[in-house]
Amino acid sequence: MKNYETGHAKNVANLNKLIAQISYYDKYDPPVKALTVENLTKLHDKARKSVEEAETRRAANKNAIHHRQDVYQDLKPLCTRIVSHLGILNLSDGVFDHARSINKRIQGYGTSRKPDEEVAENGTEETTTSISTSRQSYTQQAEHFSHLLTLIRTIGNYKPNEKDLQKENMDKRLADMNNATARVDQTEAALNTALRTRNEVLYDKDTGLYSRVLDVKKYVKSVYGNGSDQFSRITAIPFHALR
């Protein structure tokens, strides 16, 4: 995926190289305004900014994903400790079994995949199914943890001395978990918007960078001929239609 993303930047850089080349062609005077050196330069600047914006948004999404991983990192052992503490409170079998059942769901027992697996860790253009599965995993863990806290609030003698097991601190942890997932969702949406914009600027079939380059090459061929040095030089500059 890294090479794929580099390809977009190479297309932009090679447009700049093509512009530099045709700027010295004395017969380069296209009848189509979009193909003029001036407008191609504007297109290059717009394309460069769109690629930079996409990478900025990608970095923000990666940071949010990594932060969420940190927030959730010790959730499972914490919940096991909570259940262990409940085991000394002489609770009814029904209440204790309920707590154990919630903890099993948090631990991921009986599921076909690891609940804490971060499929979208790279912050790149994964399939919608992969991203949805990852998000669901974290959302479900937060939901189960919320159920465990709700149960704890009904237990009057739940008064641990350990700060991280105390109700107010676990409420804060739950809020941090939900906020971390919300941040991932927000940065993912911003990234998707930036990717759409980049793809439109670079690969729109009528106005995109790739389409403009093909037209420039056709025009130079029509002016200087297929076997000309001018045409050979710009043909040697590679461009790839990526998405």
Side-chain angles (χ1 to χ4, degrees):
M1 190 63 69
K2 183 177 180 180
N3 291 337
Y4 176 86
E5 291 308 318
T6 302
H8 300 297
K10 284 185 176 179
N11 279 340
V12 175
N14 285 343
L15 174 59
N16 193 52
K17 186 175 182 179
L18 181 140
I19 293 171
Q21 191 68 44
I22 63 177
S23 296
Y24 287 94
Y25 289 179
D26 56 353
K27 295 181 182 179
Y28 188 84
D29 187 20
V32 179
K33 288 185 177 180
L35 303 185
T36 64
V37 170
E38 179 182 359
N39 285 326
L40 288 174
T41 300
K42 291 180 180 178
L43 176 60
H44 168 267
D45 292 342
K46 184 177 181 181
R48 176 180 54 79
K49 290 177 182 178
S50 72
V51 170
E52 291 174 351
E53 177 67 10
E55 292 312 302
T56 297
R57 296 297 183 180
R58 189 187 309 282
N61 183 239
K62 283 184 179 181
N63 290 341
I65 288 171
H66 293 154
H67 173 68
R68 179 170 65 178
Q69 290 173 336
D70 291 341
V71 170
Y72 276 75
Q73 186 173 11
D74 62 347
L75 175 66
K76 292 181 179 181
L78 174 71
C79 291
T80 298
R81 290 172 57 210
I82 292 172
V83 173
S84 295
H85 185 84
L86 293 175
I88 67 172
L89 301 183
N90 295 320
L91 303 177
S92 68
D93 290 343
V95 172
F96 187 62
D97 287 345
H98 187 195
R100 291 178 61 193
S101 176
I102 295 173
N103 184 45
K104 285 182 179 180
R105 290 196 291 271
I106 293 173
Q107 303 299 327
Y109 297 151
T111 62
S112 61
R113 64 183 300 277
K114 296 179 180 180
D116 63 342
E117 182 180 354
E118 179 51 79
V119 180
E121 180 177 357
N122 291 329
T124 53
E125 294 137 310
E126 302 85 351
T127 64
T128 301
T129 300
S130 296
I131 294 175
S132 297
T133 301
S134 174
R135 181 186 297 108
Q136 183 182 33
S137 168
Y138 284 101
T139 300
Q140 286 179 341
Q141 287 187 71
E143 181 180 3
H144 297 324
F145 186 53
S146 175
H147 292 166
L148 184 59
L149 297 189
T150 298
L151 177 62
I152 287 173
R153 294 187 189 99
T154 68
I155 302 173
N157 60 338
Y158 180 84
K159 298 177 182 179
N161 294 321
E162 295 77 18
K163 288 186 177 181
D164 59 341
L165 298 186
Q166 292 171 1
K167 298 175 185 178
E168 59 270 20
N169 289 326
M170 289 195 294
D171 286 340
K172 181 181 182 304
R173 174 184 285 270
L174 178 60
D176 290 343
M177 291 163 59
N178 289 330
N179 289 337
T181 291
R183 181 59 180 164
V184 170
D185 291 344
Q186 292 164 1
T187 57
E188 181 188 308
L191 171 59
N192 289 337
T193 298
L195 291 174
R196 283 193 297 271
T197 299
R198 181 204 64 192
N199 289 344
E200 289 174 2
V201 174
L202 270 65
Y203 307 114
D204 182 88
K205 66 183 183 67
D206 296 318
T207 62
L209 178 153
Y210 185 75
S211 176
R212 290 283 187 258
V213 166
L214 295 181
D215 287 344
V216 167
K217 292 183 177 182
K218 291 175 185 176
Y219 175 67
V220 171
K221 182 179 179 180
S222 74
V223 173
Y224 291 98
N226 185 47
S228 66
D229 177 73
Q230 290 88 343
F231 181 63
S232 296
R233 289 186 181 279
I234 64 169
T235 300
I237 303 174
F239 294 89
H240 303 282
L242 306 172
R243 285 288 178 179

